Each structure stands twice: as structure tokens, then as C-alpha cells.
Amino acid sequence: MDPKGQRAKLNDGHFIPVLGFGTAEVKEAAKSEALEVTKFAIEVGFRHIDCAYVYQNEEQLWCTFLRPELVRPALEKSLKNLQLDYVDLYIIHFPLATKALEKCKDAGLTKSIGVSNFNHKQLEKILNKPGLKYKPVCNQVECHPYLNQSKLLDFCKSHDIVLVAYGALGSQRVKEWVNLNHPVLLEDPVLSAIAKKHKQTPALVALRYQIQRGVVVLAKSYNKKRIKENIQVFDFELTPEDMKAIDGLNRNIRYYEFLVYLKLLICLCHVNITFSNNLTLFSVDILQVECHPYLNQSKLLDFCKSHDIVLLACGVLGSQGVKNAKEKYQSAYSVEQQTMDPKGQRVKLNDGHFIPVLGFGTFAPPEVPKSEALEVTKFAIEVGFRHIDSAHLYQNEEQVGQAIRSKIADGTVKREDVFYTSKLWSTSLRPELVRPALEKSLNNLQLDYVDLYIIHFPVALKPGEALFPKDENGKPIFDSVDLCRTWEALEKCKDAGLTKSIGVSNFNHKQLEKILNKPGLKYKPVCNQVECHPYLNQSKLLDFCKSHDIVLVAYGALGSQRIKEWVNPNLPFLLEDPVLSAIAKKHKQTPAVVALRYQIQRGVVVLAKSYNKKRIKENIQVFDFELTPEDMKAIDGLNRSIRYNELLLGVGHPEYPFFEEY
């Protein structure tokens, strides 16, 4: 319909140019400038002009006109200001309340109607409205490489709704609207490198990215040179590799948080505002609670959102000053735990035992000789590691056990000094197979007990000698096992003295809840071992675990092992991240040690896996320095929800854990 690809067809049959000119300006700009730059934008080729009543330079439906009887007058006021007979698109600017605009469309005052700043639930409310005549043609939202809105985009596409991106350059720093502490998008090194390759500006790359993924994008600038540059977005194309790299920048950073609405909503606390025609404009409850980065209230926030209750945060800066904030970042463990272990190198589990906060991971690819596990485990103990992590799956417990026993024999450690973790593999999840599997590990280790025995992966596979049983078509053969029955078998192993503590690995919060809510539960899991690193910081799962006194143990904490059978090789290298590198340089440490220290300071037990003796020795230096609150905040900001270890062998099983958000 449009060979140049410069327009997108809306669900009502009209077309919208995929590149728009945004006219919002900072307060300091004179309104007359809107006249000049809009004329210039049209002259250089823009055919999509976006404005709003709230911009006071006039088109969109602002919050003060959301009552149905005020909608048409608001549009007519805009048309009068514009001196036009109709607008092409009229949208609800912000969803504090919603009413249909269908009558305005029928009256010919607007060709199309849509929404802005709606989430998928609010869109569904419109789409499921009885007697719906026209569905929204678009949803205009903040969208840029740091907030790529991929899920909302998929939702909109599935309902034939066009996503329109504002804030696409992430660059306007208006203090009343934007968090000034967020990074500047157009200074991102990935965007800059792609721009340099195409001989374009980072801004053009950011705009082109949206167009190629099917998003209509608004380019806002009052600088004529940049306006002219932005129209060049059609002069080049990004490669699939460029698109994938920009996809990887997503950090869920929202520049426009609209915090101004808290001031409005405070006035509505526990009040229904009802008019004489029985129209309820707002029905809002506000719950005011202490909420800050150390108590982020994520579960309560999710609950409130699901019931349209606004959470109002007090104590957002912390109530005891910078000194206490620093202390909190220095150790995320309880006062009792710190008192029991002055060096802060162990954390108390919910069954009374202690686990060292830094562990040595022994997994290695199949091509690495098993004899190396013996040598590196002995070396790790010699340099100070007291927490050794292995598993039946790794097929090296015989060598790891030999290393532990040899260091006991030469007097380096006593058995009680070493905390050893083993794991129950998926082929032994049937209750009757649990104890024999643990006894087999103990036999290989030549130890009387393990300190921690955990379910390795919640997906049950067919029992037998094969670690990965497959059918004739090469597909995994699953088994059906109730994880609660498996857990009961682990409890019996603890009672029998074969393991001191029991836990799980790779469980999502719903699977943990299944265990925690099991009738007759004797011991709750002491830990959940999961992939966790700055690109996948598991903040929600960490909060959930802390709320149930379950320790989160991080594997893949350095995000660096690239085993093709397990890891997507196209994902970025964590240890090459410029933020980590800068913090490491500041502290005269390696990026790996910074990544490990980050976990310890947020209350996560962390496994450092390396078969390189130099790196093993470096990793133990994690206790020799501290990250500042600013460092911690910067690393928190790296989260991109990138999972290196997707464990795809479990896809198709009802207990595959990674389809849940956390």
C-alpha cells in the first residue's frame, strides 16, 4: 500500500506516517518557536505533527477533560486553536480515567482515535468494552532502546494497534518530568558505534531502530539542524546484527515517570469523587508506606497495581542518613548474622547452619579433563575458599571429593571448615530415587555427609543412566513427578544425617510457594540457586526469597562461560561492560571481582567459577574492598533481563521455570 514504507495503515483504514515531529518544548522556549520549527519541519519533509493541549501550543485529550461531557468541547477548543476543521488523530493523553471518543469520530472532528500511556490491562479494558464501535488505532508511549517496550509492542501488534514512540531519543532533561540521574541515551557506546558505522548520528540510529521494528516514532527537536538530520532516517537501514545489539540495550529505564501525578492523587486519598449524574470520575485508594531502594515493596506494589491502588512512598531517602545507608550497602545480612561472623563471610541459613557467602564453582565443559577438577579444587581451598559447589550432573564429584579429603589430610582444613553442596539431577526426582542418588554422590565423594543438597532443576526427566534421555527424534523424554513428594524425600535425607541442609535450584517464585505451602512441611528450602549477575539481577526473586528467609545463591555470576550447548553465544560479554570496567578501574580490581562483590553486598551468596589459578586467586580478594552506594546503584542499572543459561532442554515440561517473570 505504501512502497516507501513511510506510512503505516491503522486499523480503521487511515494511514499514519511512521516518522512524526513532536512539538513539546521546555518551559523556557517561547511559544512562537513552535510556529517557526513546525513550519521548518514541514518544509524539510515531516508530514506527521504531534501536539497536545497540555503543551499549550496546540491536539491530545488532557486529564482535565476526561469526563465524557467534556471530551467534545476539549477537541473543539483544540480545533479552534488550530483553526482546522478536523484532526487526524485524537488520543487520551494519560489514563487517570477513560471514556470513549467514538462520538467525536462519528461527528467528523477526528479521523482516528487512540490512547497514550496505557498499559496492556487498560487497553484490554477498552477492547473488551461492551458495544465497542472503534478500537484504539494507537497507543503512544515512551519507547527507546533503554525502554524498548517489547512486550507492549507484541500485545499491540496482536490487536492491530500501532505503537507510537515518544521520548525516542531519551534526551530531554526537564526536571519536572524526567529523572535527571538516568544515563543519557544518545551517549550510549553501542548506539555510537552503530552510528559511526553507518555515518549517521546516534539519534538517527535510535529513530531508525523504532521504524524497523514496526513502531511509529516521534522526533522532537527545536534545533533546525537536528530537525533536518532526523528526516534522513529513511536514507539507510540497520542490519539484523545492529537491531539485535540495540535490543540488548533494554534496561527498563523510564525517563518520564509522571511523578507529578502523586501530587494530584494525594488529594484523592480514600475518596470517590462523584458528580450529580452519578459519574464517578475517580475511585482511588492510596496506600502510604515506607518505600525506598532498601525496602522496595515490590510485592505490595504489584498487588496495589492489580487493584488500581496507588502506592505512595514515604521515607524514600531513608530516615537515618547517609551513614546508615552506607552501612546497609556494606552488608546486606542481619545484625545477628554479622555478630556471629565478624568477617561477614558467612550467612546464617533458616535451619541454623551457616553458608560461606563466596563459593567455588566446579563445573567445566566436557572437554576439560576431570583431573583438572582435582587440582583447581585443591588450589581453591589453599587460597581460602571454604564453600565448594558441585553436582552429580558435573560428573566430577569423585575428583572434587578427593581434593577436599587431601586438604583435610594435610591439615589445611578440617571437615567442618568446608561447606560442600551437591545437587539432585532431574533423572532422580522420583521420591524413591532421591536417597540412592545422594548416597551415590557420597560414595563418589568418599564423605559421610554433604552440607547442602538441592534439587538441581524442577523439570523431571526419565529415570536411568542417561543424564539427558532422548527419544528417537532427539527430543528429551520427560517424567511426571510431584515436586512436593521429591521435597519430602529430601527432608528424610536431612533427618538421616546425609545432608545438613536442603534447598532448590532454578525454581521460580511459584514453585517455591508450592513447597512453602505444602501441608506438613517440615523444613523449608534454605536456598534457591539461580543464574544471577548484573545483566539478570533477579531483584524480584531476591525480594521474594528474603521475605521467606531463603538465601539466594548466584551461579553464572560472571556471565562469561560460553558453552554452545547451554549458552546463547550472541549475548554480550558481561565482563566487558563499560560500567563494570570503570568501577573496577576505580577500585583497582577486576570487573569479575566487582561483579562478585556486588552480589555479596546485596545479600546474595555467590559462586565464582574458574579453572584459571590466577583468576581463582583474584576472586578471593572480593573481601578486600567495598563498593559505594553509587557503585551499587550504577550496577543495579545494568539489569537487562539477559539469561545466558536458558536450559532449553526443559521447554515443553509443565515445570519449566523460566516462563515466569521471576
Side-chain angles (χ1 to χ4, degrees):
M1 297 289 278
D2 188 351
K4 292 184 179 179
Q6 295 183 12
R7 298 188 304 163
K9 190 173 183 179
L10 301 173
N11 61 41
D12 63 359
H14 295 296
F15 285 83
I16 184 171
V18 296
L19 179 67
F21 178 68
T23 63
E25 83 290 333
V26 295
K27 279 185 179 179
E28 294 78 16
K31 300 301 177 189
S32 58
E33 285 191 47
L35 169 62
E36 293 306 315
V37 296
T38 304
K39 284 198 297 183
F40 183 78
I42 294 171
E43 287 166 7
V44 299
F46 281 90
R47 295 298 180 264
H48 172 180
I49 311 299
D50 180 271
C51 191
Y53 174 82
V54 74
Y55 304 162
Q56 291 295 286
N57 61 11
E58 270 306 288
E59 171 189 301
Q60 294 162 306
L61 181 59
W62 186 235
C63 300
T64 50
F65 300 116
L66 292 182
R67 289 172 58 188
E69 66 270 24
L70 298 181
V71 172
R72 180 165 177 163
L75 175 50
E76 288 173 338
K77 184 174 183 180
S78 285
L79 290 171
K80 183 179 180 181
N81 290 334
L82 292 160
Q83 291 294 290
L84 295 176
D85 296 327
Y86 65 89
V87 295
D88 294 275
L89 175 61
Y90 199 49
I91 64 181
I92 298 173
H93 204 151
F94 193 77
L96 284 179
T98 62
K99 288 293 175 185
L101 305 177
E102 295 172 328
K103 291 180 181 178
C104 290
K105 178 174 168 66
D106 286 337
L109 301 178
T110 179
K111 288 188 174 181
S112 302
I113 54 177
V115 297
S116 179
N117 298 303
F118 273 45
N119 60 40
H120 79 283
K121 289 185 177 179
Q122 291 162 329
L123 283 169
E124 283 179 334
K125 191 181 292 183
I126 301 292
L127 294 171
N128 295 330
K129 185 183 81 68
L132 180 70
K133 191 170 185 180
Y134 308 114
K135 58 181 187 176
V137 299
C138 73
N139 186 19
Q140 185 181 124
V141 296
E142 179 181 357
C143 186
H144 45 73
Y146 284 171
L147 180 71
N148 70 17
Q149 300 279 15
S150 58
K151 288 186 177 180
L152 185 59
L153 175 59
D154 289 342
F155 176 88
C156 287
K157 283 184 176 180
S158 71
H159 291 84
D160 198 16
I161 295 171
V162 170
L163 199 74
V164 180
Y166 70 76
L169 306 181
S171 55
Q172 194 168 21
R173 321 290 281 188
V174 184
K175 64 182 181 180
E176 291 86 355
W177 296 90
V178 174
N179 185 334
L180 300 180
N181 295 318
H182 285 325
V184 179
L185 172 67
L186 297 185
E187 294 176 1
D188 187 276
V190 173
L191 275 186
S192 299
I194 294 172
K196 186 176 181 182
K197 180 176 79 170
H198 290 280
K199 298 180 181 178
Q200 302 290 345
T201 63
L204 271 177
V205 170
L207 295 174
R208 183 71 204 181
Y209 167 69
Q210 300 293 1
I211 290 171
Q212 286 188 213
R213 62 202 291 256
V215 174
V216 170
V217 62
L218 303 177
K220 192 212 71 57
S221 179
Y222 270 38
N223 179 302
K224 289 187 176 181
K225 178 176 178 288
R226 291 185 192 137
I227 293 171
K228 198 170 183 178
E229 284 175 349
N230 291 342
I231 203 72
Q232 296 168 8
V233 72
F234 300 107
D235 296 347
F236 73 107
E237 284 184 2
L238 298 173
T239 66
E241 292 74 24
D242 296 334
M243 293 295 290
K244 190 168 188 179
I246 302 173
D247 281 339
L249 296 180
N250 186 52
R251 302 183 186 180
N252 294 319
I253 290 176
R254 189 179 296 279
Y255 290 99
Y256 298 88
E257 295 172 330
F258 293 101
L259 298 180
V260 66
Y261 293 106
L262 280 179
K263 296 177 182 177
L264 169 62
L265 292 171
I266 287 170
C267 303
L268 307 173
C269 186
H270 303 299
V271 173
N272 285 341
I273 301 182
T274 304
F275 295 88
S276 57
N277 60 356
N278 292 320
L279 164 70
T280 300
L281 179 57
F282 296 105
S283 179
V284 180
D285 277 342
I286 289 184
L287 177 62
Q288 182 171 332
V289 295
E290 179 183 0
C291 186
H292 45 73
Y294 295 148
L295 181 67
N296 68 14
Q297 301 282 11
S298 59
K299 290 182 73 180
L300 184 59
L301 177 59
D302 289 343
F303 175 85
C304 288
K305 283 182 176 179
S306 69
H307 291 79
D308 288 330
I309 297 171
V310 173
L311 199 70
L312 179 61
C314 62
V316 293
L317 303 181
S319 56
Q320 297 181 3
V322 176
K323 181 180 177 182
N324 283 354
K326 184 177 178 183
E327 289 172 354
K328 186 76 176 182
Y329 261 130
Q330 287 171 340
S331 178
Y333 303 116
S334 70
V335 173
E336 179 193 9
Q337 289 164 345
Q338 293 176 62
T339 304
M340 300 278 248
D341 187 354
K343 292 182 180 179
Q345 295 183 11
R346 297 188 305 162
V347 60
K348 192 174 183 179
L349 300 172
N350 61 42
D351 63 358
H353 296 296
F354 284 83
I355 184 172
V357 296
L358 179 66
F360 178 68
T362 64
F363 174 76
E367 59 269 19
V368 176
K370 300 301 177 191
S371 58
E372 286 196 34
L374 169 62
E375 294 306 315
V376 296
T377 304
K378 285 199 294 184
F379 183 76
I381 294 172
E382 287 166 7
V383 300
F385 280 90
R386 294 297 179 263
H387 172 180
I388 310 298
D389 180 272
S390 190
H392 172 70
L393 176 67
Y394 304 165
Q395 295 289 283
N396 63 8
E397 286 194 299
E398 187 176 337
Q399 292 77 22
V400 172
Q402 186 180 344
I404 293 171
R405 296 195 317 275
S406 71
K407 300 321 292 179
I408 293 172
D410 70 12
T412 303
V413 291
K414 299 175 182 177
R415 173 63 185 93
E416 56 268 27
D417 297 330
V418 177
F419 187 99
Y420 179 78
T421 299
S422 186
K423 306 181 188 78
L424 175 71
W425 183 233
S426 295
T427 52
S428 299
L429 294 190
R430 292 184 184 182
E432 67 272 16
L433 299 178
V434 172
R435 179 164 179 163
L438 175 50
E439 288 174 336
K440 184 175 182 179
S441 283
L442 290 172
N443 185 55
N444 288 334
L445 293 159
Q446 290 294 290
L447 295 176
D448 296 327
Y449 65 90
V450 296
D451 295 272
L452 175 60
Y453 198 50
I454 63 182
I455 299 173
H456 203 153
F457 191 47
V459 171
L461 298 174
K462 178 186 175 183
E465 291 301 314
L467 293 172
F468 302 101
K470 295 178 181 178
D471 62 19
E472 61 275 10
N473 298 314
K475 294 184 178 179
I477 304 174
F478 296 133
D479 196 16
S480 179
V481 178
D482 183 346
L483 292 172
C484 289
R485 305 289 80 79
T486 306
W487 186 253
E488 289 169 358
L490 260 73
E491 291 177 323
K492 290 176 182 176
C493 290
K494 176 174 167 67
D495 286 337
L498 300 178
T499 180
K500 289 190 172 182
S501 301
I502 52 178
V504 297
S505 178
N506 295 302
F507 273 46
N508 60 42
H509 79 285
K510 289 186 177 178
Q511 291 165 326
L512 282 169
E513 283 179 333
K514 189 183 294 184
I515 302 293
L516 294 170
N517 296 330
K518 185 185 82 68
L521 180 69
K522 191 170 186 180
Y523 307 114
K524 33 181 210 180
V526 300
C527 74
N528 186 20
Q529 186 181 126
V530 296
E531 179 181 356
C532 186
H533 44 74
Y535 284 172
L536 180 70
N537 70 19
Q538 299 279 17
S539 58
K540 288 188 176 182
L541 186 59
L542 176 59
D543 289 341
F544 177 88
C545 287
K546 283 183 176 180
S547 72
H548 290 86
D549 198 15
I550 296 171
V551 169
L552 199 75
V553 180
Y555 71 76
L558 307 181
S560 54
Q561 197 164 21
R562 322 290 282 191
I563 303 170
K564 63 181 181 180
E565 293 84 0
W566 296 89
V567 175
N568 184 339
N570 297 316
L571 294 174
F573 283 84
L574 172 68
L575 298 186
E576 294 177 1
D577 188 275
V579 173
L580 274 186
S581 298
I583 294 171
K585 186 177 180 181
K586 180 176 77 171
H587 290 283
K588 298 179 180 178
Q589 301 289 344
T590 64
V593 174
V594 168
L596 296 174
R597 182 72 203 181
Y598 166 70
Q599 300 293 2
I600 290 172
Q601 286 187 212
R602 64 201 290 256
V604 175
V605 171
V606 63
L607 303 177
K609 192 212 70 58
S610 178
Y611 271 40
N612 179 304
K613 289 187 176 182
K614 178 177 178 288
R615 291 184 193 135
I616 293 171
K617 199 169 183 178
E618 285 175 348
N619 291 343
I620 203 74
Q621 296 169 8
V622 72
F623 300 106
D624 297 346
F625 75 107
E626 287 175 359
L627 297 172
T628 66
E630 293 75 23
D631 296 333
M632 293 294 290
K633 187 174 182 179
I635 301 172
D636 281 340
L638 296 180
N639 186 52
R640 301 182 188 179
S641 300
I642 290 176
R643 190 180 296 279
Y644 290 98
N645 299 280
E646 296 175 324
L647 303 177
L648 296 177
L649 78 145
V651 173
H653 192 284
E655 292 292 354
Y656 181 72
F658 302 143
F659 291 142
E660 287 294 326
E661 182 186 0
Y662 69 98

